[in-house]
Amino acid sequence: MVVAFVALGIAQSTIAWGPDGHSIIALIADRYLQPRTRAAIKELLGDDSLADASNWADRLRDNPAYDWSKPLHYINVPRDASTVNLPRDCKDDACVVAAITTYAAVLRNRKAPREQRIEALKFLVHFVGDVHQPLHVSYADDRGGNQVRVSWFDETDWNFHAVWDSALIQRDMKGDRELMARRLAAGISSTDLRQWRSTMNPSVWANESLKITQKLYANLPADKQLGQAYYDANIATVEQRLSAAGVRLSMVLNDILGDGRHARDVQSSTAESDQPATQPAAPNSAPATTQPTAP
Ligand code: ADE
Ligand code: ZN
Ligand code: ZN
C-alpha cells in the first residue's frame, strides 16, 4: 500500500505545474480580463471558474481517449540546445508551443463547434501555464527531471520535476491559493507588464523557460538535497514565472475574446511608471489608458 502510494505520488507529479500553480495563474489572469473577455469565458464555461478549467487538462490523464494529449504539456530539446527549434523538437505539432497556437486558433474561430471551443479554452489556459514551468522546456533523457530523484527537506521520495511543479509553490502558498494570487498580482510592476506583454509568441516564452532550466541543472546540488537554501535561491523565479504566465494568459484571452484593444494597451503601457502597482494594477481599467488614442 505504501509502495503504491509512493509510486502514485511520483507518477502523478509528471505532467504540469500542480493544481496550485495552474489555479494561481488563472486567478492572476482573471484580474486582467476585459469585461468582454470575461463574458465570453462565462458563456463557454458556465459556472466553472477559470481556475477549475485550468486543471482540466491534467484530469484527462486517467482518460485513455486523451492519451494523444500527453506530449502537449511540454517540449524537450537536445542538451546542448540554447533555443527551441520546432521542426526538430515539435514533430507533428506534438508539443506545448504548437498546442498553444493550435488551441488559440480554435478558440478564435467563432464557427468552430461550441464543444471544440470549450475544450480549446481549457487546453489553452493550461498550456500557457505549462510553457512557463521551466522544466516543461527541458530534456527527454530524464523526462524533464521526472527521473531525477531528490530529497525535499525531510522527504526522500521527490523528483526534481515535482519540486518545480508543486513543492516550491506549496511551501510559498501556505494553504491559500487566492491569497498567493493576490500577493503576486500586487507585486507586478508596469515594467513587468510591459516586458511580459511584449510578445505573444509562445516560442519566446519557451526559450525563457529553457534559459532557466539550463541554470537549474547547472545549479542542482550534487547531493540532490533540496531544502531551505534551495527554496530561498529559487522562490523568486517560481513567483515570476507564475506571474508572467498569468499576465500572458490574460493577454491571449483578451486578444481572442476581448475587444481587440490589446495592441494599444502594450504601446500605452510604455508610458506608465515603473512602480509596482499598489492596486493589483487595476487590471480591468487598463484599457482606459488607451482611450486617448482609441478611435
Ligand atoms: N515527460 C517527458 N518530458 C517531460 C517534460 N519536460 N515535462 C513533463 N513531462 C515530461
Ligand atoms: Zn500540464
Ligand atoms: Zn510538470
Side-chain angles (χ1 to χ4, degrees):
M1 210 49 178
V2 172
V3 173
F5 271 112
V6 169
L8 198 67
I10 290 167
Q12 285 212 323
S13 50
T14 56
I15 299 283
W17 287 119
D20 295 320
H22 283 289
S23 298
I24 289 164
I25 290 165
L27 288 166
I28 293 170
D30 189 69
R31 295 169 162 255
Y32 292 90
L33 297 180
Q34 296 162 351
R36 262 172 92 115
T37 311
R38 191 170 282 114
I41 290 171
K42 169 116 185 108
E43 202 278 312
L44 290 168
L45 296 182
D47 288 335
D48 283 354
S49 69
L50 204 58
D52 284 338
S54 74
N55 286 298
W56 171 81
D58 277 342
R59 294 195 291 266
L60 292 177
R61 280 174 304 182
D62 308 325
N63 185 343
Y66 281 91
D67 273 354
W68 56 268
S69 69
K70 289 186 173 163
L72 304 186
H73 294 255
Y74 55 86
I75 182 168
N76 288 322
V77 304
R79 286 271 174 180
D80 59 358
S82 54
T83 58
V84 299
N85 174 325
L86 297 187
R88 179 191 64 200
D89 307 323
C90 191
K91 300 253 161 36
D92 301 322
D93 285 350
C95 76
V96 66
V97 173
I100 290 169
T101 306
T102 302
Y103 292 112
V106 175
L107 182 61
R108 195 185 292 281
N109 179 4
R110 304 303 200 268
K111 292 186 184 146
R114 175 182 165 76
E115 287 309 313
Q116 270 187 32
R117 290 185 71 226
I118 293 170
E119 271 202 17
L121 171 59
K122 293 190 286 192
F123 273 134
L124 184 61
V125 171
H126 184 87
F127 295 142
V128 170
D130 275 353
V131 77
H132 285 83
Q133 206 284 46
L135 294 179
H136 280 239
V137 185
S138 188
Y139 311 120
D141 54 52
D142 64 8
R143 302 188 56 250
N146 276 295
Q147 290 172 337
V148 178
R149 314 256 334 182
V150 302
S151 59
W152 176 246
F153 290 81
D154 299 339
E155 298 167 9
T156 54
D157 59 339
W158 281 86
N159 73 67
F160 186 33
H161 188 100
V163 165
W164 278 84
D165 268 352
S166 316
L168 287 156
I169 297 174
Q170 271 168 25
R171 191 172 182 85
D172 195 10
M173 187 177 80
K174 303 179 196 81
D176 191 334
R177 289 174 181 171
E178 311 234 349
L179 188 64
M180 178 151 167
R182 230 179 299 144
R183 174 167 60 78
L184 293 190
I188 295 171
S189 71
S190 48
T191 301
D192 292 332
L193 289 178
R194 182 164 66 242
Q195 203 194 323
W196 295 337
R197 287 173 174 162
S198 66
T199 177
M200 288 234 269
N201 181 344
S203 286
V204 175
W205 305 342
N207 286 334
E208 294 168 356
S209 281
L210 180 56
K211 277 231 157 47
I212 298 169
T213 288
Q214 290 171 331
K215 285 196 199 123
L216 298 186
Y217 275 91
N219 297 333
L220 188 62
D223 63 5
K224 313 257 173 49
Q225 308 258 353
L226 311 184
Q228 192 62 44
Y230 194 80
Y231 176 89
D232 291 340
N234 289 284
I235 198 61
T237 300
V238 172
E239 293 188 350
Q240 193 211 42
R241 293 311 277 167
L242 294 172
S243 300
V247 167
R248 284 166 169 169
L249 176 58
S250 70
M251 172 172 73
V252 169
L253 294 174
N254 285 333
D255 182 65
I256 298 173
L257 301 172
D259 50 24
R261 281 183 288 180
H262 168 69
R264 262 158 289 176
D265 290 352
V266 172
Q267 283 164 14
S268 72
S269 70
T270 58
E272 288 168 16
S273 85
D274 196 10
Q275 296 304 307
T278 16
Q279 291 283 23
N284 289 330
S285 64
T289 62
T290 68
Q291 289 307 333
T293 55

